[in-house]
């Protein structure tokens, strides 16, 4: 494609650098098949991050194509504003069913940002309509610093990052953060769980007290922080923060946009949390990305506060409950359940983690291997003792190397992230480990090999 005909403005992309490389390697993807994606020349890549953590069932499933086509013919669009259609009703019922009765009401949307934005507005309005007048002043949202909940203004305001403030500030008032449960680099200066006393979880109570209990509407978290580098807290963390929310009357919101639908080896990462979250945000694998779909689930206690004249949830968008997206979501969930993909995620994830751990005996750049199910991170270091992070450039070289070896991974700072489709088998696990082993090989030999592979790729790309 000639550069002058390129009008697309890519999200989160350094455009001037990207335009130079968009014809090479995996920068333009034209086709997908199961766990693989292909570029225009037919080079095959393992889709090691499921096309943005999205395509859980893999590419090319006929059932979803058929579900979309059938629904488009029957009813291409109808809204859920004071109206309804069968697919939205069925999808809501399915989500209530598969979340084990913890939630009874489902707001449908189209992306993860919307699912979380909806949860935040729901939490504030819930308190505003409390029969207890002293709760009306609860508006603050507490979150984990460095969290990623999406791109709209409310959810952007949860990150607590100076870089967001610098680019988009002023961010919204009423958003406060505690430090994340990052055990490998504990922000509280502790060295080990359980000796740390879970300072990161108890920080929530301290924050609620210092902000003033009667000002706090909700605490939100990702069960495993994805964008920040696969941050997995000890199991006890969830119970402690959940109990703190209960004790202080704050709603407990779980953002399962990435962890939901089997990613962590369970259908939902939150399914055995006690206390359970009050609001659950879902997107991505709810439709495996075949069409945009999201959901915000709430308990009956929350929903009932929105009943009665003037109390309605003052929120919605044209595509809320879109029938074609709902039909595709239903077909996708059937596949996830019938093919026991959460179970496969648990099994393949355990295998991948243990293989990476073995690899860490030989590859000294591996500082930490962590994750649950098929949501796995490898933190790369220049020095294991000091945990000095591998530089951005060295990490990017490894990511490039992996691409030339036929494996696409997501990366953030010095962390490689592996979130492949939940359908992968032993062979693909072994292929992933082999590629990582080769890419982490240090010294001249690896550099020469990398150059040779890149040269081959460039030459072929010119021919193509
Ligand atoms: C945990 C989490 N929440 C929310 C979002 C935002 O979802 P979307 O990009 O669909 O708006 C993401 C996206 O990666 C995410 O990982």
């Amino acid at each position: 494609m000639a550069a002058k005909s390129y009008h697309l403005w890519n999200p989160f992309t350094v455009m001037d650098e990207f335009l130079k490389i968009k014809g090479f390697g995996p920068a333009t993807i034209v086709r997908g098949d199961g766990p693989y994606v292909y570029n225009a020349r037919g080079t095959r890549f393992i889709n090691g991050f499921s096309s943005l953590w999205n395509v859980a069932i893999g590419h090319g499933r006929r059932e979803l194509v058929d579900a979309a086509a059938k629904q488009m013919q029957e009813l291409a669009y109808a809204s859920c504003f004071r109206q309804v259609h069968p697919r939205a009703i069925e999808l809501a019922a399915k989500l209530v069913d598969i979340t084990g009765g913890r939630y009874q009401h489902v707001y449908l949307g189209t992306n993860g940002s919307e699912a979380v934005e909806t949860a935040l507005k729901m939490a504030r309005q819930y308190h505003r309509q409390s029969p207890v007048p002293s709760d009306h002043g609860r508006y603050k949202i507490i979150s984990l610093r460095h969290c990623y909940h999406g791109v709209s203004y409310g959810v952007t305001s949860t990150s607590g990052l100076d870089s967001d403030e610098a680019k988009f500030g002023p961010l919204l008032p009423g958003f406060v953060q505690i430090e994340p449960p990052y055990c490998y680099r504990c922000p509280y200066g502790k060295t080990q769980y359980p000796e740390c006393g879970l300072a990161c979880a108890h920080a929530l109570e301290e924050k609620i007290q210092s902000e003033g209990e009667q000002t706090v509407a909700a605490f939100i978290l990702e069960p495993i922080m994805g964008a920040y580098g696969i941050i997995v807290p000890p199991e006890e963390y969830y119970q402690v923060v959940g109990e703190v929310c209960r004790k202080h009357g704050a709603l407990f919101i779980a953002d399962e946009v990435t962890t939901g639908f089997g990613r962590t080896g369970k259908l939902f990462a939150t399914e055995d949390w006690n206390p359970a979250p009050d609001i659950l945000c879902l997107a991505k694998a709810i439709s495996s990305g075949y069409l945009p779909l999201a959901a915000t689930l709430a308990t009956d206690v929350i929903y009932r506060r929105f009943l009665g004249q003037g109390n309605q949830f003052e929120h919605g968008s044209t595509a809320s409950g879109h029938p074609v997206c709902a039909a595709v979501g239903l077909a996708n969930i059937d596949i996830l359940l019938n093919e026991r993909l959460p179970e496969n995620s648990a099994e393949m994830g355990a295998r991948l983690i243990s293989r990476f751990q073995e690899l860490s005996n030989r590859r000294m750049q591996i500082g930490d291997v962590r994750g649950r199910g098929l949501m796995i991170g490898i933190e790369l270091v220049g020095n294991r003792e000091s945990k000095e992070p591998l530089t951005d450039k060295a990490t990017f070289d490894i990511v490039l190397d992996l691409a030339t070896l036929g494996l696409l991974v997501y990366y953030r700072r010095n962390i490689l992230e592996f979130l492949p489709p939940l359908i992968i088998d032993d062979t693909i696990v072994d292929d992933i480990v082999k590629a990582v082993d080769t890419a982490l090989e240090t010294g001249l030999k690896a550099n020469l090999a990398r150059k040779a592979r890149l040269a081959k790729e460039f030459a072929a790309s010119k021919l193509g």
Side-chain angles (χ1 to χ4, degrees):
M1 189 193 299
K4 64 175 187 290
S5 67
Y6 193 83
H7 295 290
L8 184 66
W9 193 344
N10 296 59
F12 289 105
T13 302
V14 184
M15 289 306 293
D16 36 5
E17 284 182 13
F18 174 71
L19 289 176
K20 288 185 217 145
I21 57 132
K22 74 178 176 53
F24 301 122
T28 300
I29 291 294
V30 301
R31 190 166 75 80
D33 183 15
Y36 300 107
V37 288
Y38 296 80
N39 67 12
R41 285 185 305 98
T43 304
R44 189 179 84 168
F45 302 93
I46 297 174
N47 191 3
F49 65 110
S50 295
S51 311
L52 266 191
W53 316 344
N54 219 358
V55 188
I57 62 168
H59 281 280
R61 289 297 297 248
R62 187 77 224 172
E63 298 90 322
L64 271 61
V65 178
D66 291 344
K70 181 167 179 285
Q71 184 59 43
M72 269 194 204
Q73 275 173 345
E74 201 172 292
L75 177 71
Y77 172 75
S79 95
C80 290
F81 285 36
R82 298 187 285 273
Q83 217 190 9
V84 79
H85 59 79
R87 292 304 91 71
I89 297 174
E90 288 158 18
L91 179 59
K94 174 74 92 183
L95 293 172
V96 166
D97 181 34
I98 64 176
T99 49
R102 293 183 294 285
Y103 309 94
Q104 280 80 43
H105 304 280
V106 179
Y107 170 93
L108 294 172
T110 45
N111 60 58
S113 306
E114 186 190 354
V116 183
E117 193 80 21
T118 299
L120 302 185
K121 289 175 77 178
M122 193 182 276
R124 283 187 171 178
Q125 194 182 333
Y126 167 81
H127 289 297
R128 210 57 51 83
Q129 295 173 179
S130 168
V132 181
S134 58
D135 280 340
H136 295 179
R138 288 182 178 271
Y139 66 98
K140 290 181 187 161
I141 307 291
I142 304 181
S143 54
L144 301 177
R145 192 176 313 284
H146 301 284
C147 61
Y148 185 73
H149 296 295
V151 291
S152 49
Y153 255 101
V155 295
T156 300
S157 302
T158 60
S159 74
L161 295 184
D162 293 343
S163 51
D164 283 333
E165 182 67 36
K167 289 195 174 171
F168 310 117
L171 298 180
L172 301 188
F175 286 79
V176 286
Q177 292 79 31
I178 57 173
E179 300 307 316
Y182 190 175
C183 295
Y184 186 64
R185 299 181 190 278
C186 178
Y188 296 88
K190 311 283 183 191
T191 47
Q192 222 177 338
Y193 173 78
E195 287 73 41
C196 63
L198 268 186
C200 52
H202 294 293
L204 177 61
E205 182 152 42
E206 287 154 27
K207 183 60 91 180
I208 291 178
Q209 282 162 345
S210 67
E211 292 292 326
E213 181 189 286
Q214 288 304 321
T215 67
V216 178
F219 170 61
I220 180 165
L221 84 172
E222 301 160 72
I224 294 177
M225 296 173 85
Y228 190 44
I230 315 293
I231 307 301
V232 194
E235 280 296 315
E236 191 193 347
Y237 178 89
Y238 305 121
Q239 187 187 342
V240 174
V241 293
E243 281 171 357
V244 167
C245 288
R246 287 278 183 284
K247 179 172 161 196
H248 294 283
L251 293 180
F252 185 25
I253 304 175
D255 174 354
E256 287 228 50
V257 165
T258 292
T259 57
F261 297 97
R263 173 56 60 198
T264 68
K266 295 188 276 185
L267 188 53
F268 296 101
T270 53
E271 67 191 20
D272 44 22
W273 286 12
N274 186 14
D278 302 294
I279 302 179
L280 186 70
C281 307
L282 304 172
K284 291 193 188 266
I286 190 174
S287 59
S288 284
Y290 280 57
L291 281 178
L293 181 63
T296 307
L297 279 62
T299 60
D300 199 44
V301 172
I302 293 179
Y303 172 79
R304 272 191 275 117
R305 199 167 282 178
F306 290 77
L307 299 178
Q309 193 56 249
N311 289 341
Q312 72 277 8
F313 192 26
E314 207 62 43
H315 182 75
S317 94
T318 308
S320 305
H322 193 292
V324 185
C325 302
V328 165
L330 283 161
N332 169 68
I333 294 170
D334 281 348
I335 290 177
L336 276 161
L337 297 178
N338 293 341
E339 299 181 10
R340 302 174 60 80
L341 296 185
E343 288 83 348
N344 193 55
S345 167
E347 198 184 322
M348 292 302 125
R351 183 179 169 97
L352 193 51
I353 287 195
S354 91
R355 298 289 311 278
F356 281 150
Q357 277 159 348
E358 276 165 42
L359 202 59
S360 72
N361 297 327
R362 283 188 292 115
R363 299 285 175 231
M364 291 303 130
Q365 308 101 310
I366 300 182
D368 193 28
V369 176
R370 52 183 183 251
R372 297 260 187 283
L374 285 171
M375 185 166 185
I376 299 171
I378 292 184
E379 177 142 3
L380 300 172
V381 289
N383 178 318
R384 262 201 200 168
E385 290 294 299
S386 67
K387 297 188 181 176
E388 172 203 333
L390 200 70
T391 62
D392 287 358
K393 177 168 180 333
T395 306
F396 186 63
D397 267 357
I398 290 166
V399 171
L400 272 185
D401 225 4
L402 288 171
T404 64
L405 290 161
L407 171 63
L408 305 186
V409 297
Y410 187 85
Y411 70 102
R412 185 53 84 89
R413 306 186 313 283
N414 58 322
I415 298 147
L416 305 179
E417 299 193 10
F418 301 84
L419 293 93
L422 308 185
I423 53 170
I424 63 165
D425 58 13
D426 288 353
T427 312
I428 294 182
V429 168
D430 294 348
D431 289 346
I432 291 174
V433 177
K434 200 160 149 238
V436 173
D437 190 14
T438 308
L440 290 182
E441 199 176 344
T442 51
L444 186 64
K445 196 170 140 241
N447 281 333
L448 289 176
R450 176 184 303 141
K451 278 195 185 136
R453 281 194 296 272
L454 280 174
K456 207 168 126 200
E457 178 81 5
F458 275 70
S461 146
K462 277 181 199 127
L463 287 178

